[in-house]
């Protein structure tokens, strides 16, 4: 049951997360990159704050906790959101989703460096490498030039930033703080971090259509707020590295939505790369076979204890002499022979 729930949560997270690049692409038609970044952080924090207060939860307390929350908000929200918005000005949404799939690789590398990832299974390493090969096959970096190359580099930087943020978030869970409280606190911090960037071209008047407005709302409420809370729950349940492997499923969703909705290019090379990516995901999700439990060692014998009897030995004869019967205290002469008549005295006088 736990594996089924984890699989369903990962599938839903991949679907919502993979659609993010579609909504960013539509939102960029009306808003500047800094406006898109600020809007999704603001809408996501308002959504989760309503859920948090409605469920009776409170925001986390303590300066050390908030220090880590702000650090996680920078690496997992403010910085990557801005890089995605900048990068998608010059590359397709499907390619952005594919390049974001490098997050698991960065996560494993950073986990190995920091010591938080120990005992990595060979199947997981092979899956990560195969998945990364599929990403390279889809993105074809040898064909990227000019603005497209800078955009691709920005998205790869966002994926690397996600990996750092996941490690920080992994150290925030397990402290007795509900995940909804951590989620809303981090998005509030991200909103505060991105607000000053509006001065860099984000204060211009906005001319937005109803369809573009809907895309911005979905981007903030669903693709940021709901998705971010699911990410925190998955980190609490399976860890930061396992959560990062969700990134390998994003190319399937982002490329499919880009082709169907935005009519982006789709080639046999991209199709083959998606198959390779899915094979890598399957390897990273394999569970190791549990070893058979070893028999418990026998306890050490007590040197002061008497030796155990041998069941195969013959019974020892009773060498103790028979004991006389205990006399009855009420009948002290019971069991004793009665005295006979006294012998007649003879007259031995002459």
């Amino acid at each position: 049951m736990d594996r089924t729930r984890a699989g369903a949560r990962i599938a839903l997270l991949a679907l919502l997360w993979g659609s993010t690049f579609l909504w960013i692409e539509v939102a960029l038609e009306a808003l500047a990159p800094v406006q898109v970044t600020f809007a999704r952080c603001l809408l996501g924090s308002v959504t989760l704050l309503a859920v948090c207060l409605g469920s009776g939860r409170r925001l986390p307390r303590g300066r050390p906790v908030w220090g880590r929350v702000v650090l996680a908000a920078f690496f997992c929200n403010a910085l990557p959101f801005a890089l995605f918005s900048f990068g998608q000005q010059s590359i397709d949404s499907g390619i952005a989703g594919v390049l974001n799939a490098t997050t698991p690789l960065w996560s494993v590398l950073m986990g190995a460096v920091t010591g938080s990832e120990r005992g990595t299974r060979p199947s997981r390493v092979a899956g990560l490498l195969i998945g990364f090969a599929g990403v390279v096959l889809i993105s074809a970096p040898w064909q990227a030039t000019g603005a497209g190359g800078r955009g691709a580099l920005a998205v790869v930087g966002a994926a690397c930033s996600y990996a750092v943020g996941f490690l920080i978030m992994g150290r925030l869970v397990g402290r007795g703080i509900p995940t909804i409280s951590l989620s809303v606190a981090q998005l509030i911090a991200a909103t505060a971090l991105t607000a000053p960037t509006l001065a860099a071209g984000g204060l211009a008047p906005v001319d937005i259509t109803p369809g573009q407005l809907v895309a911005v709302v979905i981007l903030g409420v669903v693709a940021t707020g709901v998705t971010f809370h699911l990410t925190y729950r998955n980190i609490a349940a399976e860890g930061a590295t396992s959560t990062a492997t969700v990134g390998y499923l994003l190319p399937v969703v982002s490329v499919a939505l880009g082709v169907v909705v935005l009519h982006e290019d789709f080639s046999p090379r991209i199709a083959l790369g998606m198959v390779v990516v899915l094979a890598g995901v399957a390897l990273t999700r394999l569970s190791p076979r549990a070893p058979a439990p070893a028999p418990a060692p026998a306890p050490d014998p007590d040197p002061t204890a008497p030796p155990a009897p041998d069941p195969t030995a013959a019974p020892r004869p009773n060498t103790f002499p028979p004991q006389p019967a205990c006399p009855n205290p009420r009948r002290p002469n019971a069991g004793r022979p009665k005295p006979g008549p006294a012998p007649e005295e003879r007259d031995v006088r002459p």
Side-chain angles (χ1 to χ4, degrees):
M1 181 62 69
D2 292 338
R3 296 291 300 175
T4 302
R5 290 181 178 177
R9 186 166 53 244
I10 286 178
L12 179 60
L13 181 58
L15 179 62
L16 297 180
W17 197 353
S19 68
T20 301
F21 310 98
L22 168 65
W23 308 122
I24 292 176
E25 196 79 15
V26 177
L28 285 172
E29 297 176 359
L31 303 179
V34 292
Q35 292 173 331
V36 173
T37 303
F38 176 75
R40 63 182 300 190
C41 290
L42 177 63
L43 292 174
S45 61
V46 170
T47 301
L48 293 186
L49 182 61
V51 175
C52 181
L53 298 179
S55 60
R57 306 290 187 180
R58 297 185 301 178
L59 295 179
R61 298 180 179 180
R63 183 174 298 179
V65 174
W66 273 98
R68 291 191 176 186
V69 165
V70 172
L71 195 62
F74 176 78
F75 284 104
C76 200
N77 303 110
L79 179 60
F81 289 179
L83 291 175
F84 279 125
S85 298
F86 172 78
Q88 284 191 232
Q89 288 182 310
S90 55
I91 63 175
D92 291 339
S93 65
I95 299 301
V98 170
L99 294 177
N100 184 66
T102 59
T103 298
L105 180 63
W106 300 118
S107 181
V108 171
L109 292 177
M110 292 178 185
V113 171
T114 60
S116 61
E117 181 72 15
R118 299 179 180 178
T120 303
R121 302 188 303 272
S123 61
R124 169 168 286 186
V125 175
L128 291 170
L129 295 178
I130 292 173
F132 182 70
V135 169
V136 173
L137 185 61
I138 294 175
S139 61
W142 55 87
Q143 297 180 357
T145 57
R150 290 193 297 270
L153 185 61
V155 173
V156 172
C160 182
S161 182
Y162 266 149
V164 177
F166 284 165
L167 290 178
I168 300 173
M169 292 165 62
R171 296 182 179 182
L172 281 171
V173 299
R175 296 173 175 266
I177 305 174
T179 54
I180 184 64
S181 301
L182 290 173
S183 303
V184 65
Q186 189 165 324
L187 283 182
I188 289 175
T191 304
L193 290 173
T194 56
T197 63
L198 293 176
L203 301 178
V206 176
D207 183 13
I208 190 170
T209 65
Q212 294 166 346
L213 180 60
V214 170
V216 172
V217 172
I218 295 177
L219 174 64
V221 174
V222 179
T224 302
V226 176
T227 301
F228 188 62
H229 179 51
L230 286 177
T231 301
Y232 243 124
R233 290 192 60 183
N234 206 69
I235 289 177
E238 297 196 12
T241 302
S242 296
T243 301
T245 59
V246 179
Y248 274 160
L249 294 173
L250 302 188
V252 180
V253 179
S254 63
V255 171
L257 290 177
V259 171
V260 174
V261 180
L262 301 177
H263 307 290
E264 295 176 350
D265 294 335
F266 185 76
S267 64
R269 172 179 53 82
I270 295 178
L272 178 60
M274 291 171 63
V275 173
V276 175
V277 166
L278 289 176
V281 172
L283 285 176
T284 60
R285 300 298 298 172
L286 286 178
S287 299
R289 181 177 299 178
D300 295 334
D302 187 1
T304 62
D310 187 2
T312 60
R316 298 176 59 186
N318 188 4
T319 58
F320 294 97
Q323 299 294 327
C326 179
N328 191 338
R330 296 183 179 181
R331 301 175 61 188
N333 295 327
R336 296 182 180 179
K338 295 180 179 181
E344 296 181 357
E345 296 181 359
R346 292 181 177 181
D347 189 4
V348 295
R349 290 178 300 178

